[in-house]
Amino acid sequence: MNPPPIVMWAHSRSASTAFLRMMIERGDVTVLHEPFLALTEEGALELPSPDGGQATARSEKELLTRLAELARVRPVFVKEVLDYEYPHLFKHPEDLAGLVHTFIVRDPRPTISSHYAIKPAVTCEEIGYERLARLFELAWEATGREPLVIRTERLVREPAKVVETFCAYTGLAFRPEALTWAAEDRPEWRRTRRWHQDASGSAGFEERRNTYPATVDNHPVLRAFYDHHLPFYQRLLQHERENPCQQP
């Protein structure tokens, strides 16, 4: 029996796309890249249907239904960023009960600089940690199960151990051969390609030490973002689980 749809909730610039690339490499999971974001921006979303065709979702509720249908025939993995507050999820948290929830977070210091470098008009809310922390609590309450939290820095340092933990939590088989892949652009993220240059150039989970002219140390707006979101990041890190045998 397949698990319910598995979602990795993330803030932008967290290496979540590299994680999605690893899930694609497995070959045994239906992988969806940021469907809630695409639905919010486009008003409708085309996604696979269980019969091998295409289905359309025009609301968050309909998208959840489509994901559940897909998961009955094949495991489903969704990577989603909290650049937006998806209204249905936050107003109807009971609908989170039908998902397996995982979260990935990265140190906000380089994350904020990276986000600003791509989108100088980014707002404080779009940085995402506060929304992630709120969604974490809602998902825990809705499912009765503590969501899994993955820290990006540990993922790139110990990818096999972290992915094994993820698989133990979600009920998927651990496939170490999927930890490396061919560096390439992917159709899954074509719509938002400019955000995923690092992922397109990667062949595995790699530590990248990019530098940016604007940082939380020299830019007052970015510093304000950092000061606001740091407590939410720290709150999420308290739930990081290191042992794949550790019960949620």
Side-chain angles (χ1 to χ4, degrees):
M1 183 176 177
N2 295 329
I6 300 161
V7 185
M8 173 167 277
W9 303 105
H11 56 80
S12 287
R13 320 311 295 154
S14 62
S16 57
T17 304
F19 202 97
L20 173 134
R21 180 64 184 86
M22 182 270 295
M23 295 299 290
I24 293 170
E25 192 68 14
R26 291 176 59 99
D28 63 343
V29 177
T30 297
V31 176
L32 296 174
H33 177 264
E34 300 175 359
F36 287 91
L37 181 141
L39 178 62
T40 299
E41 293 185 340
E42 304 293 332
L45 174 72
E46 294 294 319
L47 67 162
S49 62
D51 62 5
Q54 293 286 307
T56 303
R58 293 183 174 85
S59 68
E60 293 174 38
K61 180 72 171 178
E62 192 172 11
L63 175 55
L64 290 169
T65 299
R66 300 284 184 240
L67 294 177
E69 292 169 350
L70 277 173
R72 294 190 190 107
V73 298
R74 196 169 191 242
V76 171
F77 173 80
V78 175
K79 188 271 277 194
E80 192 58 75
V81 290
L82 272 292
D83 289 28
Y84 298 101
E85 180 173 302
Y86 306 113
H88 183 85
L89 297 182
F90 282 89
K91 292 179 181 177
H92 300 278
E94 66 276 7
D95 285 349
L96 296 170
L99 304 170
V100 176
H101 298 276
T102 69
F103 289 72
I104 185 169
V105 291
R106 179 188 176 205
D107 180 354
R109 187 176 290 272
T111 298
I112 291 169
S113 293
S114 177
H115 200 145
Y116 180 78
I118 295 176
K119 186 180 179 180
V122 61
T123 66
C124 185
E125 291 79 9
E126 289 171 335
I127 296 299
Y129 295 90
E130 181 177 5
R131 289 174 181 156
L132 278 178
R134 289 174 54 211
L135 190 62
F136 177 92
E137 297 296 339
L138 290 175
W140 191 352
E141 182 176 357
T143 63
R145 185 187 188 196
E146 181 181 350
L148 178 70
V149 176
I150 291 172
R151 182 161 47 100
T152 300
E153 290 80 5
R154 188 161 177 267
L155 174 63
V156 300
R157 189 175 67 247
E158 302 176 287
K161 183 179 292 187
V162 172
V163 174
E164 185 180 8
T165 301
F166 171 86
C167 290
Y169 181 86
T170 59
L172 297 175
F174 175 49
R175 297 185 180 273
E177 67 275 12
L179 295 174
T180 57
W181 52 81
E184 59 181 343
D185 191 16
R186 292 289 308 185
E188 290 84 357
W189 59 69
R190 184 172 294 135
R191 194 182 72 88
T192 52
R193 178 182 288 121
R194 71 188 184 97
W195 290 86
H196 309 303
Q197 296 302 311
D198 284 350
S200 295
S202 73
F205 294 110
E206 305 165 357
E207 183 176 5
R208 293 182 177 264
R209 297 184 178 276
N210 299 334
T211 58
Y212 306 95
T215 72
V216 300
D217 296 315
N218 64 22
H219 194 294
V221 173
L222 301 193
R223 183 69 199 194
F225 290 174
Y226 177 81
D227 289 343
H228 178 83
H229 286 282
L230 182 62
F232 299 105
Y233 167 70
Q234 292 171 330
R235 187 183 305 172
L236 286 164
L237 277 192
Q238 293 175 1
H239 300 276
E240 182 188 13
R241 187 175 302 116
E242 299 186 0
N243 184 348
C245 297
Q246 185 178 340
Q247 292 300 311

